[in-house]
């Protein structure tokens, strides 16, 4: 019999907030400075993948042969600088539609919740949008309680999605077995990571981009808790 879901793990970029577009714009800008373009379709390959691995994929797309580690480091630093210019402007208003209501519903239903992100900027984003454990002052100011029992991000993992490490660590920190966890993800690499961890998956986005997800929703507006109960 299927195990009852007890914990929900959320990817951050593209699920809680629309930072996926900021990543895309920064990578595209970097590609343009090197004389090539990055299309939205090509960008799907970069979603959920760590910064340096994303850079390697980008360089392959642009046929940019072997660069030194120092040159690559410099390119990644530029990309991150442009990306951070956008995330530092974020406020709680940037939380995607329906997300807060859904978190509230899950909290009231006693589900454990975690963030599972490959990003090293996750802490900054969670602080900006008022969902960080460490953002006491912001949380007090906007009157939000803390929803997440654990945050596993790019600073805590050594292997990025599709490796299951980020989600297995999340389950461990929540103290819930992987088969009782469900993951919301906007990246195919993230869906694969969750599956590799033995978890149920719900894709957030377009079904054609997330063929391996158990289910796909376009976003959290009007999403009913039954989507989890029936998983
Ligand atoms: C997330 C995003 C990726 C990004 C990765 C690393 O998984 O979906 O697009 O490359 O985090 O993010 P960072 O903020 O550390 O560069
Ligand atoms: Mg994502």
């Amino acid at each position: 019999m299927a195990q009852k879901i007890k914990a929900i793990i959320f990817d951050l970029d593209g699920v809680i907030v629309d930072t996926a577009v900021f990543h895309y714009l920064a990578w595209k800008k970097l590609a343009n400075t090197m004389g090539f373009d990055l299309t939205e379709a090509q960008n799907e390959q970069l979603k959920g993948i760590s910064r340096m691995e994303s850079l390697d994929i980008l360089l392959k797309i642009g046929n940019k042969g072997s660069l030194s580690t120092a040159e690559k480091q410099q390119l990644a630093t530029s990309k991150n600088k442009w990306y951070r210019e956008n995330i530092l402007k974020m406020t709680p208003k940037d939380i995607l539609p329906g997300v807060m209501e859904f978190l509230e519903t899950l909290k009231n239903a006693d589900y454990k919740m975690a963030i599972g992100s490959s990003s090293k900027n996750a802490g900054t984003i969670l602080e900006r949008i008022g969902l960080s454990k460490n953002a006491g002052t912001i949380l007090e100011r906007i009157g939000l309680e803390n929803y997440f029992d654990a945050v596993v991000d790019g600073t805590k993992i050594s292997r990025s999605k599709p490796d299951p490490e980020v989600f297995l660590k999340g389950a461990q920190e929540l103290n819930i077995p992987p088969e009782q966890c469900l993951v919301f993800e906007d990246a195919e690499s993230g869906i694969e990571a969750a599956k590799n961890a033995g978890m149920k998956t719900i894709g957030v986005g377009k079904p054609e981009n997330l063929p391996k997800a158990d289910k796909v929703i376009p976003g959290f507006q009007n999403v009913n808790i039954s989507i989890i109960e029936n998983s």
Side-chain angles (χ1 to χ4, degrees):
M1 211 182 93
Q3 295 258 12
K4 194 171 166 9
I5 299 299
K6 292 212 173 120
I8 316 296
I9 308 182
F10 291 87
D11 171 46
L12 179 64
D13 294 291
V15 171
I16 303 278
V17 281
D18 199 8
T19 42
V21 67
F22 297 152
H23 279 295
Y24 171 51
L25 292 175
W27 286 127
K28 192 179 172 76
K29 184 168 173 174
L30 190 69
N32 291 167
T33 63
M34 290 187 283
F36 64 97
D37 198 24
L38 176 73
T39 66
E40 267 187 72
Q42 288 168 329
N43 183 60
E44 284 300 315
Q45 299 172 52
L46 274 52
K47 282 190 182 171
I49 310 281
S50 74
R51 198 178 310 160
M52 292 315 284
E53 284 170 279
S54 297
L55 177 63
D56 284 336
I57 298 172
L58 185 81
L59 293 173
K60 216 176 246 173
I61 290 171
N63 281 320
K64 296 285 158 195
S66 47
L67 296 181
S68 70
T69 310
E71 282 170 315
K72 283 205 227 172
Q73 201 57 57
Q74 210 175 5
L75 292 172
T77 301
S78 294
K79 182 268 174 179
N80 196 47
K81 185 176 153 279
W82 297 324
Y83 174 67
R84 283 185 65 87
E85 281 169 7
N86 279 321
I87 60 169
L88 289 173
K89 291 183 207 145
M90 293 177 80
T91 72
K93 286 196 186 121
D94 290 299
I95 297 173
L96 282 166
V99 168
M100 288 312 299
E101 293 81 350
F102 193 59
L103 293 179
E104 189 64 32
T105 306
L106 294 179
K107 194 183 162 102
N108 290 335
D110 278 337
Y111 284 102
K112 293 232 178 192
M113 287 187 266
I115 292 282
S117 166
S118 308
S119 173
K120 293 190 166 136
N121 289 300
T124 304
I125 295 169
L126 289 169
E127 277 191 28
R128 294 297 315 160
I129 62 175
L131 286 176
S132 167
K133 273 192 170 167
N134 305 320
T137 50
I138 298 176
L139 288 180
E140 279 163 32
R141 206 176 65 221
I142 59 175
L144 274 181
E145 287 172 75
N146 179 38
Y147 290 89
F148 299 109
D149 306 291
V151 174
V152 181
D153 65 13
T155 64
K156 290 192 183 174
I157 54 166
S158 51
R159 295 178 300 278
S160 95
K161 301 167 186 176
D163 189 282
E165 184 183 13
V166 66
F167 294 130
L168 289 175
K169 274 217 164 115
Q172 201 177 25
E173 287 198 19
L174 295 177
N175 210 9
I176 303 284
E179 58 276 17
Q180 294 190 319
C181 295
L182 181 145
V183 171
F184 283 97
E185 254 294 347
D186 71 318
E188 188 65 348
S189 63
I191 295 289
E192 281 176 34
K195 293 206 135 188
N196 289 336
M199 300 178 182
K200 288 263 161 43
T201 56
I202 299 186
V204 182
K206 295 185 183 150
E208 60 268 33
N209 291 335
L210 301 160
K212 294 186 183 152
D214 295 322
K215 282 177 198 162
V216 180
I217 55 170
F220 289 96
Q221 265 173 321
N222 307 318
V223 170
N224 194 282
I225 197 164
S226 62
I227 194 162
I228 290 172
E229 287 157 359
N230 298 332
S231 282

